[in-house]
Amino acid sequence: MARSAPALHGRDNLPTHATALVGRDREVADLRQLVLSDDGRLVTLTGVGGCGKTRLALGVASSLIGSFKDGVWLVELAALADPLLVPQVVASVLGVRERSDRSLLAALVAFLARRQVLLVLDNCEHLIKACAELADTLLHSCPGVRLLATSREALHIPGERAWRVPSLAIPDPRSIVPPGEVVRYSAAQLFVERAQAVQSNFGVTPRSAPVLVAICARLEGLPLAIELAAAWVRALGVEQILERLDDAFELLVGGSPLAPSRQQTMRATLDWSYGLLAPPEQIVFRRLAVFVGGWSLEAAEVVCSGSGVAPQEVLGLLTGLVDASLVQVDEQDWRARYRLLEPVPPVRPSAARTFGRAGRCSIPARHLFRVLCRTVGARRERRGASSPGRSCRARTRAGQPAGGAALVFGPGRCADGGSDSAERIGISGSSKAPSARAGRG
Ligand SMILES: Nc1ncnc2c1ncn2[C@@H]1O[C@H](COP(=O)(O)OP(=O)(O)OP(=O)(O)O)[C@@H](O)[C@H]1O
Ligand SMILES: [Mg+2]
């Protein structure tokens, strides 16, 4: 009979949070079930930075402490830069030592081979390959090990169940929610709890209720954005916070000094993801800055190709951005439609390079004008119309709702309707770029 492995010291190393987990009852219950199921040996929580992956994983992990004989162990990877050290970090959490006769990975596998543990690999996105290799090895060699990973991008290995973390619940901004009901929605509850932490008499009134609902909707129920916005109640009224969300890049700053630096501001959160993109993905992401209200693949192929990106590469690069949780994909009339989360556009790294303070367009917008005029022109030429460049002009308009510039296809100037052409390639009426904000260096 196999000799049983010595027990680990204690049952878990999970942190105790100063604040309670808000909402997520359903998600914790579903994930508990998944992690314990035959299909759930590797579950990866994915989603945009600050959507609550780590917090949810820890909630699930703590609810599972009694379910793993040898405990539940958190391995924090966010601060680790060297992928070669991933096995070492796991080993040090478990107290496994390197021996001269075998590699650390072999020692780790031997240690875990007969144990029942849940390992929480937190923040894998910058170490995807190393985490994928380790997870693959453990899944094959250690039948009692289960892995709950968090990552902005899935590990993409066989047996993985990627689980997209949803936003916190928000009330429908078009409905009238009584003040007493507002905090029944987890996004609003998080706002109120964080607001009360800095201003103890903060409460929901008949006047503030719809404003709170609007703030949560604008921030798409993204916990980090809500926390950063709520902290402003110490200096601003909720109506002012809502107004200033047009300039969200300026407002969504000032995270807790205890939070990791990538979560100090929404910009830092997005920069972390942007920095992990391959250069052509960065180019496409910057060019997507011109869209508002979503876009189709066809529109992206027109707008994002050129100067280093071939049209046929756009789908792959766009998929890379979806994988990195920077772009959301929805289905509309059986076709994929893409968009950025509302708190994302104002902090896109391209913002300053794309648009000047007064909504002035610079390179990417000019690029868009050029390709759209070319597209519209080519269509006109195919139909035999003359001089497309003169009859179809793109111009910018400042003062859009979010203070950005908008693309307008000269109505009435194109015999075949420029805006119609723009619509046909999937650009919704006017395409807005974010207003000027400092970009990533
Ligand atoms: N359900 C929740 N209840 C209370 N606070 C939450 C909840 N979800 C997230 N938060 C808070 O929001 C912030 C961001 O959450 P978290 O760190 O889990 O995001 P993340 O998706 O792991 O981000 P990253 O990709 O940067 O690692 C944290 O301060 C966290 O405590
Ligand atoms: Mg995290």
Side-chain angles (χ1 to χ4, degrees):
M1 205 176 102
R3 196 160 51 89
S4 71
L8 283 157
H9 184 66
R11 294 206 313 163
D12 75 279
N13 66 341
L14 302 181
T16 310
H17 282 101
T19 56
L21 182 70
V22 172
R24 302 298 199 197
D25 296 346
R26 176 80 194 273
E27 288 87 346
V28 170
D30 289 351
L31 282 164
R32 257 183 70 91
Q33 212 175 356
L34 180 59
V35 169
L36 294 174
S37 73
D38 290 345
D39 283 347
R41 288 199 58 213
L42 166 59
V43 176
T44 305
L45 304 189
T46 64
V48 69
C51 72
K53 301 178 291 296
T54 296
R55 199 63 204 258
L56 179 57
L58 294 175
V60 175
S62 67
S63 79
L64 285 168
I65 288 173
S67 306
F68 288 84
K69 185 166 66 62
D70 296 300
V72 171
W73 304 95
L74 170 65
V75 181
E76 294 187 71
L77 296 168
L80 181 68
D82 185 350
L84 294 175
L85 296 182
V86 169
Q88 195 165 318
V89 176
V90 179
S92 75
V93 165
L94 298 175
V96 176
R97 299 246 174 81
E98 195 159 9
R99 282 188 3 197
S100 55
D101 59 339
R102 60 184 173 192
S103 72
L104 187 62
L105 182 60
L108 192 57
V109 167
F111 181 82
L112 289 171
R114 279 169 283 120
R115 284 191 160 84
Q116 284 177 16
V117 298
L118 175 66
L119 290 180
V120 181
L121 302 180
D122 190 32
N123 280 96
C124 302
E125 58 273 337
H126 56 306
L127 305 163
I128 290 281
K129 192 161 175 285
C131 290
E133 283 168 4
L134 178 71
D136 199 46
T137 304
L138 296 181
L139 290 183
H140 281 100
S141 312
C142 310
V145 172
R146 281 171 189 259
L147 300 161
L148 177 59
T150 80
S151 180
R152 296 187 187 183
E153 177 167 1
L155 304 188
H156 302 297
I157 59 170
E160 178 184 42
R161 288 287 298 265
W163 201 94
R164 189 159 283 273
V165 174
S167 298
L168 292 178
I170 44 176
D172 181 347
R174 290 162 304 183
S175 64
I176 296 170
V177 187
E181 302 270 298
V182 168
V183 291
R184 290 178 54 187
Y185 296 86
S186 51
Q189 186 189 345
L190 183 64
F191 187 99
V192 171
E193 287 190 12
R194 296 298 180 266
Q196 285 172 342
V198 291
Q199 198 189 70
S200 53
N201 62 353
F202 181 85
V204 187
T205 64
R207 181 166 170 181
S208 69
V211 185
L212 262 181
V213 169
I215 291 173
C216 293
R218 275 294 293 278
L219 298 176
E220 300 212 23
L222 197 67
L224 179 63
I226 290 173
E227 285 190 332
L228 294 171
W232 280 103
V233 300
R234 69 198 191 281
L236 299 170
V238 282
E239 280 158 8
Q240 288 170 299
I241 291 175
L242 179 61
E243 282 161 19
R244 279 160 194 260
L245 285 180
D246 284 346
D247 210 357
F249 178 74
E250 304 291 341
L251 191 76
L252 299 179
V253 298
S256 156
L258 300 178
S261 57
R262 71 173 188 289
Q263 292 190 344
Q264 294 294 329
T265 66
M266 276 307 293
R267 174 193 164 184
T269 275
L270 266 296
D271 275 356
W272 168 271
S273 286
Y274 180 80
L276 298 176
L277 298 176
E281 290 172 334
Q282 292 183 339
I283 294 174
V284 167
F285 188 61
R286 288 202 301 271
R287 289 178 181 169
L288 292 172
V290 293
F291 289 116
V292 69
W295 64 87
S296 65
L297 173 61
E298 291 75 14
E301 283 173 335
V302 171
V303 168
C304 301
S305 58
S307 309
V309 178
Q312 62 273 22
E313 290 177 317
V314 171
L315 174 59
L317 296 168
L318 193 55
T319 307
L321 297 176
V322 172
D323 286 345
S325 305
L326 282 168
V327 166
Q328 312 291 307
V329 57
D330 306 310
E331 201 177 286
Q332 211 178 60
D333 299 329
W334 306 96
R335 297 184 74 80
R337 189 147 179 95
Y338 306 87
R339 69 185 182 95
L340 296 162
L341 281 175
E342 179 70 24
V344 171
V347 294
R348 280 173 296 181
S350 59
R353 284 196 297 278
T354 308
F355 291 92
R357 278 247 158 235
R360 201 161 37 87
C361 287
S362 77
I363 295 155
R366 266 195 259 125
H367 171 76
L368 174 67
F369 294 160
R370 221 177 28 236
V371 289
L372 288 180
C373 282
R374 219 166 40 213
T375 307
V376 173
R379 285 180 180 154
R380 285 178 48 77
E381 272 176 355
R382 277 202 299 277
R383 291 184 206 169
S386 64
S387 189
R390 265 207 308 271
S391 60
C392 177
R393 278 191 280 148
R395 61 190 165 83
T396 59
R397 186 174 66 194
Q400 289 299 293
L407 284 181
V408 180
F409 274 76
R413 288 179 190 276
C414 302
D416 62 352
S419 56
D420 174 51
S421 297
E423 250 174 52
R424 270 190 274 122
I425 63 165
I427 293 174
S428 53
S430 70
S431 291
K432 178 206 73 181
S435 55
R437 295 165 176 98
R440 187 171 181 276

